[in-house]
Amino acid sequence: MIITLTANPSLDRTIELAAPLARGAVQRATANHQESGGKGVNVCRALSAGGAEALAILPGHEDDPVLTGLHSAGVPYRNLPIAAALRSNVTLTEPDGTTTKINEPGPALNQREAHALIDLVVELSDDARWLVLAGSLPPGLAPDYYAEVVRTVRNRLGDRAPLIALDASEAALIAAIENNAAPDLLKPNAEELSQLTGIGVGDSLEDQQDLAVEAATRLLARGVRSVLATLGSKGALLVTADGAWHAQHPPITAISTVGAGDSALAGYLLAQTRGASAPDCLRQAVAHGSAAASLPGSTVPALHQTTPDAVTVRALASTHASPNHP
């Protein structure tokens, strides 16, 4: 079982434009798509589409469109009831794949709800294989909330605690690392990898893989066991104590990049739970991310829609700095 926590879920609406976005003008959409979303929800959807046993944990009342959407899609979930409606996000996609996102902040969670959500995570994570903490935090939660979740799960469950993957950004990501959350798998993009380590500038690590390896190795030295860094169109990087690898898929026609990173994480977990080697886990991650980018909206790919055989994986020089990867 793989458990995902989405503290700030959303109803994601993607609008496809026939021409580049023109600010201040009236434009007609060619298509629109609507899915239950939030990073952890997207990961769970992709895992379910890949045949894995997965469960999404999220706040929300039963008749919220996000939850009814999960029910209609057959995605297993457990919710913590709250009174407020969940947020809606809007994404505009242009013909060349350019994506513009407008994300609402989401409903605030009070301290009782925040603690109850952690209790639910602990209960359902008992003897799970992985726990995925993903996405932004809603108003009302401290930036170190993910660190609190990690500590609580590991302290209460001990040897029964699952491996933990973290995919967050900005203050939530920085606070988790600074508070020694030390996940078993960290999935930053190039900008987040630079932000965490001070190496590189912005997306420069996409083009400078040696610097990306150096940055990931610094995170291993801080207790992170594996770093899966997505590099946009330049593929992805996996760095563990056993080595470093880069993988890239042949060019695709990108329709929407929304959720591509979430699908990449799901692809990695699908392969890892089936006993694949580290390079093959990376291969499936890139195959999943590429397949997702070629689909409309935040649609996640089924396993048969991915092409791992097309992905090229090569070993890179690395510095060993942590225990064996999960």
Side-chain angles (χ1 to χ4, degrees), residues 5-16:
L5 171 63
T6 309
N8 200 18
S10 58
L11 187 67
D12 289 346
R13 186 180 180 200
T14 303
I15 300 172
E16 297 181 19

Side-chain angles (χ1 to χ4, degrees), residues 284-300:
Q284 190 60 55
V286 170
H288 253 77
S290 297
S294 67
L295 297 172
S298 57
T299 304
V300 297

Side-chain angles (χ1 to χ4, degrees), residues 51-85:
E53 186 180 8
L55 178 72
I57 299 175
L58 67 163
H61 53 77
E62 282 293 343
D63 60 353
D64 192 282
V66 175
L67 273 65
T68 58
L70 289 176
H71 179 76
S72 298
V75 177
Y77 69 88
R78 281 284 300 275
N79 62 301
L80 175 75
I82 61 172

Side-chain angles (χ1 to χ4, degrees), residues 1-319:
M1 172 71 78
I2 301 176
I3 306 294
T4 72
L5 171 63
T6 309
N8 200 18
S10 58
L11 187 67
D12 289 346
R13 186 180 180 200
T14 303
I15 300 172
E16 297 181 19
L17 300 177
L21 177 66
R23 293 183 60 195
V26 175
Q27 292 181 259
R28 296 189 182 278
T30 58
N32 70 86
H33 310 271
Q34 182 171 289
E35 289 103 0
S36 300
K39 294 185 74 64
V41 167
N42 291 339
V43 171
C44 190
R45 290 170 50 226
L47 288 169
S48 296
E53 186 180 8
L55 178 72
I57 299 175
L58 67 163
H61 53 77
E62 282 293 343
D63 60 353
D64 192 282
V66 175
L67 273 65
T68 58
L70 289 176
H71 179 76
S72 298
V75 177
Y77 69 88
R78 281 284 300 275
N79 62 301
L80 175 75
I82 61 172
L86 297 174
R87 62 181 178 149
S88 295
N89 293 335
V90 176
T91 299
L92 303 176
T93 61
E94 301 175 43
D96 66 353
T98 299
T99 298
T100 303
K101 297 191 68 177
I102 304 171
N103 292 347
E104 294 183 355
L109 297 185
N110 58 40
Q111 287 303 300
R112 180 192 63 78
E113 292 166 333
H115 291 141
L117 195 58
I118 294 177
D119 290 340
L120 187 59
V121 169
V122 173
E123 173 193 343
L124 296 173
S125 295
D126 197 344
D127 281 332
R129 184 74 175 271
W130 281 91
L131 168 62
V132 179
L133 310 176
S136 64
L137 297 175
L141 297 190
D144 66 349
Y145 185 74
Y146 282 138
E148 182 180 359
V149 174
V150 172
R151 286 193 299 267
T152 305
V153 167
R154 288 175 172 166
N155 289 339
R156 291 192 194 175
L157 296 182
D159 292 341
R160 302 192 313 279
L163 297 169
I164 296 177
L166 175 64
D167 183 4
S169 60
E170 299 177 348
L173 173 62
I174 294 171
I177 300 303
E178 289 183 347
N179 284 274
N180 301 315
D184 298 284
L185 177 66
L186 183 67
K187 199 218 74 63
N189 59 28
E191 184 176 359
E192 292 158 352
L193 188 59
S194 174
Q195 185 180 33
L196 281 172
T197 62
I199 295 177
V201 179
D203 295 335
S204 64
L205 297 187
E206 292 184 4
D207 298 314
Q208 302 178 59
Q209 292 160 15
D210 57 336
L211 286 181
V213 172
E214 180 184 346
T217 301
R218 286 197 185 182
L219 294 173
L220 299 190
R222 299 183 67 174
V224 177
R225 296 183 67 194
S226 300
V227 178
L228 173 65
T230 49
L231 306 176
S233 63
K234 303 300 176 64
L237 192 74
L238 177 64
V239 181
T240 78
D242 297 331
W245 301 267
H246 173 261
Q248 189 161 11
H249 193 282
I252 62 165
T253 300
I255 295 177
S256 172
T257 59
V258 179
D262 307 330
S263 287
L265 176 54
Y268 178 96
L269 296 175
L270 283 168
Q272 195 277 338
T273 54
R274 294 169 182 174
S277 66
D280 283 340
C281 290
L282 176 61
R283 185 187 305 277
Q284 190 60 55
V286 170
H288 253 77
S290 297
S294 67
L295 297 172
S298 57
T299 304
V300 297
L303 203 57
H304 70 83
Q305 294 175 296
T306 69
T307 52
D309 290 344
V311 177
T312 301
V313 180
R314 62 187 180 91
L316 304 173
S318 65
T319 301

